[in-house]
Amino acid sequence: MKKEILKPRKTGEQRKRNHRVSIQKRIKRYIKDGGGGNLNLSGSPVEKLPDNLKVGGSLDLYNTPIKELPDNLKVGDSLILRDTSIEEVPDNLKVGGSLFLEYTPIKELPDNLKVGGDLYLKNTFIKELPDNLEVGDSLDLMDTPIKELPDNLKVSGVLYLKNTPIKELPDNLEVGYNLYLMNTPIKELPNNLKVGGSLNLENTPVEKLPDNLKVGGNLYLSGTPIKELPNNLKVGDNLNLRDTPLSKKYSKEDIRNMIEEKGGYVKKNIYL
């Protein structure tokens, strides 16, 4: 009888090393094949990507040990960096879709950053945004230490600022859809603010609103100390005034009459 030859088991380190090698081979094969589709590396041990990498679809690096991105990285669709150790992104980064940076230690963004879709920065250390930032859809800054926004910022989708220390909004801010300011120290809004969707100011110290404010969706003012409503206030959906001095002093009919006498309107319901 032939003796069975026992092969030594691979150690944990050997397995990790082999996994890293297989991932690098996979990246090379992706590049060789033209780099036209998605490149999903989430949960892998990838630590480095080649310079000048072009990904035609989405690049998913969620929950990987990668700490930096290569120069001249171009991603046709979304770039997912959530739960990584990324501290900065290169100056010339181009992302055609959304950029996911939530739950990373990133502290600042480069000048000239262009994101075709959404930019997610929730639970990061971002304190300010570059002046010429371009975001194609929504901007999520919830639970960050952001204190101010650049002038003339335009957000086509939703702007999330809930649970931030921001105290004021910039002039000429335009938000195409919803603006969330709940639980912030905001006391007043700029005169030329434009909100295409809903405006949520719940549990803020805001005491008054600017004249001619137009909100395309709902206006949430519950839990604020607001005592009067501005001239020419226009609300496309509902007005929520629960737990405010106004809700304790006036009826729904009184509020509606007051708004209309000042040249404004609430198209749907008033909640007290």
Side-chain angles (χ1 to χ4, degrees), residues 216-236:
N218 300 304
L219 176 55
Y220 299 93
L221 294 166
S222 57
T224 67
I226 198 156
K227 294 178 181 177
E228 61 178 346
L229 295 171
N231 293 318
N232 204 29
L233 173 65
K234 295 177 180 177
V235 180

Side-chain angles (χ1 to χ4, degrees), residues 221-222 226 229 239-244 246-247 255 271-272:
L221 294 166
S222 57
I226 198 156
L229 295 171
L239 173 61
N240 191 326
L241 288 166
R242 288 175 175 141
D243 299 318
T244 65
L246 287 171
S247 67
I255 296 289
Y271 296 102
L272 301 178

Side-chain angles (χ1 to χ4, degrees), residues 30 36-40 55-60 75-80 97-98:
Y30 173 84
N38 298 330
L39 181 56
N40 187 349
V55 177
S58 293
L59 174 57
D60 191 348
V75 181
D77 199 351
S78 295
L79 174 56
I80 302 163
S98 297

Side-chain angles (χ1 to χ4, degrees), residues 12 32 46 80 122 158 195 221 266:
K32 186 178 179 182
V46 65
I80 302 163
K122 181 180 179 179
V158 180
V195 181
L221 294 166
V266 175

Side-chain angles (χ1 to χ4, degrees), residues 40-251:
N40 187 349
L41 300 171
S42 63
S44 75
V46 65
E47 295 178 351
K48 189 176 181 181
L49 294 172
D51 285 341
N52 306 308
L53 176 64
K54 294 180 183 179
V55 177
S58 293
L59 174 57
D60 191 348
L61 293 163
Y62 166 68
N63 196 28
T64 63
I66 198 160
K67 292 182 178 179
E68 61 180 5
L69 297 175
D71 286 336
N72 301 310
L73 173 64
K74 293 181 182 177
V75 181
D77 199 351
S78 295
L79 174 56
I80 302 163
L81 293 163
R82 184 180 179 188
D83 286 320
T84 65
S85 299
I86 287 285
E87 294 184 1
E88 62 180 8
V89 294
D91 290 340
N92 43 11
L93 176 65
K94 293 181 181 178
V95 180
S98 297
L99 176 55
F100 297 81
L101 283 162
E102 62 263 57
Y103 303 99
T104 66
I106 196 161
K107 293 179 180 178
E108 62 181 6
L109 298 174
D111 289 336
N112 305 310
L113 176 62
K114 293 181 181 180
V115 179
D118 304 318
L119 176 54
Y120 295 95
L121 293 162
K122 181 180 179 179
N123 266 314
T124 63
F125 300 108
I126 290 285
K127 291 183 178 179
E128 61 181 6
L129 299 175
D131 287 336
N132 45 5
L133 173 67
E134 291 185 20
V135 179
D137 204 342
S138 298
L139 175 57
D140 186 353
L141 289 158
M142 282 197 297
D143 301 306
T144 66
I146 192 97
K147 290 184 177 179
E148 62 180 6
L149 299 174
D151 287 339
N152 305 308
L153 178 65
K154 294 179 182 178
V155 178
S156 300
V158 180
L159 177 54
Y160 299 90
L161 289 164
K162 180 183 177 182
N163 297 334
T164 65
I166 198 158
K167 292 182 178 179
E168 61 181 7
L169 298 177
D171 287 336
N172 302 311
L173 174 63
E174 292 185 20
V175 181
Y177 196 43
N178 299 335
L179 173 55
Y180 293 109
L181 290 161
M182 305 88 85
N183 302 322
T184 64
I186 287 278
K187 288 186 177 180
E188 60 182 10
L189 302 175
N191 291 325
N192 44 11
L193 175 66
K194 295 179 182 178
V195 181
S198 296
L199 173 58
N200 196 320
L201 288 157
E202 290 178 336
N203 300 317
T204 65
V206 69
E207 295 179 354
K208 64 178 183 178
L209 300 174
D211 289 338
N212 306 309
L213 177 63
K214 186 176 181 180
V215 178
N218 300 304
L219 176 55
Y220 299 93
L221 294 166
S222 57
T224 67
I226 198 156
K227 294 178 181 177
E228 61 178 346
L229 295 171
N231 293 318
N232 204 29
L233 173 65
K234 295 177 180 177
V235 180
D237 282 332
N238 303 307
L239 173 61
N240 191 326
L241 288 166
R242 288 175 175 141
D243 299 318
T244 65
L246 287 171
S247 67
K248 294 166 185 172
K249 188 174 181 181
Y250 300 103
S251 68

